[in-house]
Structure formats: C-alpha cells, structure tokens
Amino acid sequence: MIELTFLGTNATKPTLERFTSSIAIRHEGEVYLFDCGEGIQIRIGQSGFSLMKIDKLFVTHLHGDHVLGIPGILFSMAKNQREAPLKIYGPPGTAMSVHHMRRASYGRIPFEIDVIELEPGDTVGPITAFETEHTGNSIGYVFREPDTTRIDKAKMDKHGFKPNSKFKKLKQGETIEINGIKLKPKDWLIPVKGSSLAYTGDTVKSDKVIEAVAGVDLLIHESTYLSEDDSGFDYGHCSAKDAARVAKQAGVGSLFLIHFSPRYANLAPLLKEAKQVFKNSFIAKDLARVTIKDTIVQVE
Amino acid sequence: MIELTFLGTNATKPTLERFTSSIAIRHEGEVYLFDCGEGIQIRIGQSGFSLMKIDKLFVTHLHGDHVLGIPGILFSMAKNQREAPLKIYGPPGTAMSVHHMRRASYGRIPFEIDVIELEPGDTVGPITAFETEHTGNSIGYVFREPDTTRIDKAKMDKHGFKPNSKFKKLKQGETIEINGIKLKPKDWLIPVKGSSLAYTGDTVKSDKVIEAVAGVDLLIHESTYLSEDDSGFDYGHCSAKDAARVAKQAGVGSLFLIHFSPRYANLAPLLKEAKQVFKNSFIAKDLARVTIKDTIVQVE
C-alpha cells in the first residue's frame, strides 16, 4: 500500500489554507518527501508524521515554492539531535542550492546530508525520475510498486487447504506438497499488480510526461491556471484542462490537480474543466490523505 | 503612535499556532519587520500588512528560527515584481547569510537588497541597536519616538483662541500674535514624551540589556523557559522570571514575553512567574496587535 499526504498544494506563495508544494509518501515503513515548500515542517507536525522518519527527500526543481522549507527542516532536525544521514535527490543544481541552504542561517548540522543529482530515467528504489518541461532543470517522479502475487485463498478453501507454513515457500515460487498433493505456484498464486503514482512538479503539457506516467493509478499533475487564463506556457506551467488531457492520454486511474495560482480563491472552475476532459479528477487539499492499495485509489 | 503586530512568537520550531520570531512595527507610514522566522509571509498575509510595504528588515541574529522566512519573502517580493530596494539590517554575518539565502533557490530577484551590518549603538532613524548576550553575534533593538510638543488646547479654549493657521508656527517654536496678544511657545505648548519599545531577540539576562532598554514603554523580551527548567544560560537563553527581572530593573512600562520553547503547550506558568516579579507582564501571541500612543500601551 502507498499512503500519501498532501502537505502543500499552492503555487508561488503559501497561505494558511494552502502551503506551497509538498507531498509525503509512506510506503513499507519509509517516509519520502516530494518537494518541500516554505513552512512544510508545520504541516508535517499537523499530519502526524515524524520529521525524523524522513530519510529521503525528492525535489522536482529549485524554485522557492518547492524547496524553501528545506532549511527549516534541516534546522529542526539538527535541534532534535538527528544523527541519521539525510538524502536529498533532485535535478542538476540541487547540490549547489543545498550548499547555500545550509549556510543561510547559523547552527551546526550534526548529521550527514547526501545530495544526489538525478537525470531522467535514474531510479531510487521504487522511484524513477522522468523529464518534465519547465523553465530550467526539472524532473518528475513516478513511484511503482513491483508486481507481486498472492495465494489464491478461495481456491485453497475450496480444496480444504488451511493456511500453512509452506504457503510462504509457494509464494516464493517453490512447489510445495500438502496431504501428498503437489501444488505448483502457477496454479495457486494470483498475480497482484503493484500500485503506482506519479508527481510532475512544474511542467507544461508534455508528451514526455504522458509517456513516463502511462497507466499509473494516481497522477498528481500541476495545474497552475484555468485554461482561459493560461499564459502559462511562457512560464512553464499548465492549465487544469491540459493536466486532464495528460491524464486521459496517459490512461491513468485518477488525477489530482495541484499547484494552484494564489489568484484562485475558488478552485471549482479548475476542477470542472478538468472533469470535462477526465472524469476521475480531484483537487489536492493540504493534509488530505490518499491511499493506493492493489491499484485502488481511495481518499480518506 | 507605534503599532506592532506579533507575527511569530515561538522559539526553535514553527507550529500552526505559533510561528517563529517576528514582529511587524508600523510607524508614520513605514512598516518595519523585526526578525523573520520561517513562513512569516503567511502571517503577514493574515495580518493585513502588504509585503510590498516592508522596506526595512531588522535581524537580531542569524539562527534559523529568526531568519528562515527571509528567502520566502524575497521570492514573493520578486514574484510581485517589486522594484523598490529592500534594506536588511543585522549583526555582523548578516551579509553572508543573505548572500546564501538569495542563492538557496532559483529565480531572479529584480530589486536591490542592501545589507547593513550594525554594531551596538548604531542608529537607523528612530531605531538603535544594543548589545545582547546570546551564542554568537546578536543585537537587540530599541525604538524611541522623539519627544515632541502639542498645543495646550484647553488653555487656548479658556482664552478664546480658536485653532489658527499660526498654531503651526507656534508648534515649530516661533512666538505668534493673535488679537494683538503675543503667545510664546513655552507658555502654550505641552511637552509630549515619545513612545518607545525594545525587542531583545535572544539573550540571557543581561545588564547591558537593562541599560539599553531603560524606561521604555514596552519591552519584548525573550523567555524561552520556565525558571525551574532553565538550563538556558548554556544556550544563551532566559527564563520568564529573568525576563521580568530585566523589566523591573529597567523600569519599563509593560513586558511582553516572547520566544517560548515548543515544549510548553501551556504558557500560563511562564506568565505567572513573570507576574510575580513584574506585574505588568503579558504573553505575546501570534497576530496580537499592540499600540503605544503617548507612552500608553494598549492591547487591541
């Protein structure tokens, strides 16, 4: 299961209702942070995540509304006597930005910070960077659980086979024997597709994005403007309608719009124009939690 | 009149209820910002101040909880096409910190930033820096309106003198003549004492502070701990009780405690121990507004 919490959903400027871009993803005991707008440690506190559990931070690009929460997080981790190393991934330029962030205020940082600059196609565990089209070095991230299998319990029940310590071996691909009957994995295991999501960071509507996010269960796509206001191409941004076109063309399960210009007090028109193109569209809200289990997206 | 708004009142770590250190002061059409903790642009938005009206920012020292809101403010001012120069004052080291803040994220800053490093005793208009005792370079600020005079209206009424264009000259120190009677300034002007306040930033209880803030109408003093928890001296901090001792010894009008350790969910014990020493003590709260008019402190 992948569990994600939107921590900040605005573009440009944080407000009390909408901090700037950040998403926390919890998966198999690890907490990943994607982008980190100013003040995100406040939202982390509200969300119930422990700041100290974040070991990997993924940055899409180096504009202030995506990274200016990092210095505060480093400062608070230091105050909490963190010792574990922190890994920060991002496009070329990330190391230089982090270099300056560490020196923006005084105070010793008693843990190691490794900055790893990624190119599209680079992977970190279940996460792969992909190319986006913004105004400088920028990448998006796709998170794909590997496909697995599960025991066909209904069939087992039907044959009177009770849960058994040998099941683990069967799941690992071995043929097992119960009551003298040989059970081959291919007959008793059901394939389970891994869950997946993608987060674009900032980008115009892009074929490269469509290709990279094809078929994900959940696409989180920037949608800075309404299409009628969209002078965004010049600034490397995208309308809600174009975000929905990407979702449709990529054949994703659900679309969450994010990164809204602060000019919009009411986001209903953005949702409306997205839904006209791609029905399964939603507005990302700060502190909203979404799970993806067996490819099923659920808003909590 | 001096009008001040507390924008952030916590030490170390911002929470939704208490952002970290920052105070906005409005005086004669100018808006000054004292310290700027992370996310303070959110509080500025809530307070109704315009970010663009801030032309002078005063920093007490360069710890993260006092300065990490500056990069976000620069980013937002740039997004708003600010052209007016911004002046940032602070202790030695401020220029280097601002150098790094400008480079922590990408984005052109289209206005000039002048950083002026101050020594204790340096003045900027009504503001004078004073020495504090923290862990590195640190200063506090005292803001003193000059003493002025006003026309003794009651006396004028008694003599049947109506408000007159000549009053302005009288106020400027000239003898004027009304109905053939000479009015000398010393007989018709009442001295008006300027209002004053001081903000310590972080410090231990210090005789230097007591001397610098003597007699101010309003003292805003850090009080990180309860006295029973005070291991603060090692870290350059102060208890609520010691802050009250400073207020008492300096003979100030009112004391506002600020900069509370996030360990305290309830600040009543800090207020209690301060009041035992100095009755006119208050707890600073985010977004609380205080005015000082003719030396009278009023909480709105």
Side-chain angles (χ1 to χ4, degrees):
Chain A
M1 184 174 83
I2 306 172
E3 178 193 330
L4 76 89
T5 305
F6 294 106
L7 298 173
T9 56
N10 235 12
T12 314
K13 195 178 77 169
T15 65
L16 201 64
E17 203 182 1
R18 295 190 172 275
F19 282 45
T20 46
S21 304
S22 185
I23 302 165
I25 292 183
R26 181 144 50 186
H27 183 250
E28 293 184 351
E30 285 218 63
V31 178
Y32 307 90
L33 202 61
F34 287 83
D35 283 342
C36 184
E38 185 181 2
I40 286 302
Q41 60 173 319
I42 297 173
R43 288 287 193 243
I44 291 173
Q46 289 179 280
S47 73
F49 286 111
S50 162
L51 197 60
M52 303 303 265
K53 283 238 170 125
I54 297 169
D55 292 331
K56 294 191 178 80
L57 203 163
F58 292 83
V59 166
T60 60
H61 64 294
L62 299 158
H63 283 151
D65 53 339
H66 293 254
V67 298
L68 285 182
I70 298 175
I73 278 179
L74 301 182
F75 188 79
S76 285
M77 285 175 168
K79 282 274 173 191
N80 288 353
Q81 314 291 336
R82 181 187 176 109
E83 290 179 0
L86 176 72
K87 287 189 160 62
I88 303 179
Y89 302 88
T94 305
M96 188 52 82
S97 273
V98 173
H99 166 89
H100 290 300
M101 286 174 188
R102 294 182 70 148
R103 288 158 183 81
S105 70
Y106 283 26
R108 201 176 73 84
I109 296 180
F111 55 91
E112 202 182 314
I113 302 174
D114 299 327
V115 182
I116 301 105
E117 296 187 346
L118 302 176
E119 298 290 340
D122 287 349
T123 64
V124 181
I127 297 160
T128 304
F130 62 85
E131 197 171 344
T132 56
E133 297 184 62
H134 192 40
T135 58
N137 290 330
S138 67
I139 48 181
Y141 296 100
V142 60
F143 188 117
R144 292 185 192 272
E145 280 185 329
D147 294 342
T148 57
T149 56
R150 61 176 171 81
I151 306 278
D152 186 340
K153 282 187 185 154
K155 191 173 173 184
M156 289 286 186
D157 279 351
K158 206 169 148 191
H159 287 75
F161 298 145
K162 298 264 154 62
N164 186 307
S165 61
K166 292 175 185 165
F167 278 18
K168 196 175 169 187
K169 288 189 172 174
L170 182 70
K171 201 166 179 309
Q172 286 166 348
E174 290 182 33
T175 298
I176 60 170
E177 197 175 309
I178 298 178
N179 304 339
I181 300 167
K182 286 197 171 166
L183 311 188
K184 289 183 185 170
K186 73 176 175 60
D187 300 327
W188 300 87
L189 293 179
I190 297 172
V192 176
K193 208 169 150 9
S195 299
S196 57
L197 67 87
Y199 168 52
T200 59
D202 292 1
T203 186
V204 297
K205 179 176 184 294
S206 164
D207 288 341
K208 290 164 188 161
V209 172
I210 293 169
E211 189 184 332
V213 309
V216 293
D217 303 314
L218 170 58
L219 171 63
I220 305 161
H221 199 295
E222 81 124 289
S223 70
T224 310
Y225 304 110
L226 263 179
S227 56
E228 68 194 50
D229 300 333
D230 190 7
S231 58
F233 201 87
D234 294 344
Y235 300 101
H237 292 299
C238 182
S239 69
K241 186 179 275 181
D242 275 344
R245 286 178 177 140
V246 171
K248 189 176 181 182
Q249 290 171 39
V252 309
S254 300
L255 168 67
F256 271 76
L257 303 174
I258 198 170
H259 196 269
F260 309 105
S261 165
R263 76 177 72 174
Y264 302 112
N266 175 15
L267 298 173
L270 282 86
L271 183 61
K272 189 179 169 193
E273 75 169 25
K275 276 179 169 291
Q276 282 166 354
V277 175
F278 185 78
K279 201 180 158 210
N280 218 8
S281 297
F282 302 87
I283 294 282
K285 286 182 187 146
D286 283 28
L287 297 173
R289 200 157 289 190
V290 179
T291 58
I292 318 175
K293 192 176 176 184
D294 296 344
T295 78
I296 307 298
V297 174
Q298 186 139 0
V299 183
E300 287 193 359
Chain B
M1 184 174 84
I2 306 171
E3 178 193 331
L4 76 89
T5 305
F6 294 106
L7 298 174
T9 56
N10 235 13
T12 314
K13 196 178 76 168
T15 66
L16 200 64
E17 203 183 1
R18 295 191 172 275
F19 282 45
T20 47
S21 303
S22 185
I23 301 164
I25 293 183
R26 181 144 51 186
H27 183 251
E28 293 183 352
E30 286 218 64
V31 178
Y32 308 90
L33 202 61
F34 288 83
D35 282 342
C36 184
E38 185 182 2
I40 286 303
Q41 60 173 320
I42 296 174
R43 287 287 193 242
I44 291 173
Q46 289 180 278
S47 73
F49 285 111
S50 162
L51 197 60
M52 304 303 265
K53 283 236 169 129
I54 298 169
D55 293 331
K56 294 191 177 79
L57 203 163
F58 292 84
V59 166
T60 61
H61 64 295
L62 299 158
H63 283 151
D65 53 341
H66 293 254
V67 299
L68 286 182
I70 298 174
I73 278 180
L74 301 182
F75 188 79
S76 285
M77 285 176 167
K79 283 272 173 192
N80 288 353
Q81 314 292 335
R82 181 187 176 108
E83 289 178 359
L86 177 72
K87 287 190 160 61
I88 303 179
Y89 302 89
T94 304
M96 188 52 82
S97 274
V98 173
H99 166 89
H100 289 300
M101 287 174 188
R102 294 182 69 148
R103 287 158 184 81
S105 71
Y106 283 24
R108 202 176 72 84
I109 295 180
F111 55 90
E112 202 181 315
I113 302 175
D114 299 327
V115 182
I116 301 104
E117 296 186 346
L118 301 176
E119 298 290 340
D122 287 349
T123 63
V124 180
I127 297 160
T128 304
F130 63 85
E131 197 171 344
T132 55
E133 297 184 61
H134 191 41
T135 58
N137 290 331
S138 67
I139 48 181
Y141 296 100
V142 60
F143 188 117
R144 291 185 192 273
E145 280 186 329
D147 295 341
T148 57
T149 55
R150 61 177 171 79
I151 305 276
D152 187 340
K153 280 186 187 156
K155 191 172 172 183
M156 289 286 185
D157 279 350
K158 205 169 149 192
H159 287 75
F161 299 143
K162 298 264 155 62
N164 185 307
S165 62
K166 292 174 183 167
F167 279 19
K168 196 175 169 188
K169 288 190 171 173
L170 183 70
K171 201 166 178 309
Q172 286 165 348
E174 290 182 33
T175 298
I176 61 169
E177 195 174 311
I178 299 178
N179 305 340
I181 300 166
K182 287 199 170 164
L183 311 189
K184 291 183 184 169
K186 75 176 175 57
D187 300 326
W188 300 86
L189 293 180
I190 298 172
V192 177
K193 209 170 154 1
S195 299
S196 57
L197 67 87
Y199 167 53
T200 59
D202 292 1
T203 186
V204 297
K205 179 176 184 296
S206 164
D207 288 340
K208 289 164 190 162
V209 172
I210 293 168
E211 189 185 333
V213 309
V216 294
D217 303 314
L218 170 59
L219 171 63
I220 304 162
H221 199 295
E222 82 123 290
S223 70
T224 310
Y225 305 110
L226 263 180
S227 57
E228 68 194 49
D229 300 331
D230 189 7
S231 58
F233 201 86
D234 293 345
Y235 300 101
H237 291 300
C238 183
S239 69
K241 186 179 276 180
D242 274 344
R245 286 177 177 140
V246 171
K248 189 175 181 181
Q249 289 171 41
V252 309
S254 300
L255 168 67
F256 272 76
L257 303 173
I258 197 169
H259 196 268
F260 309 105
S261 165
R263 76 177 71 175
Y264 302 111
N266 174 16
L267 298 173
L270 282 86
L271 183 61
K272 189 179 169 193
E273 76 169 26
K275 276 180 169 290
Q276 282 166 354
V277 175
F278 184 79
K279 200 179 160 210
N280 218 8
S281 297
F282 302 87
I283 293 283
K285 287 181 186 147
D286 284 27
L287 296 173
R289 200 157 289 191
V290 179
T291 57
I292 318 175
K293 192 177 176 184
D294 297 344
T295 77
I296 308 298
V297 175
Q298 186 139 359
V299 183
E300 287 194 359

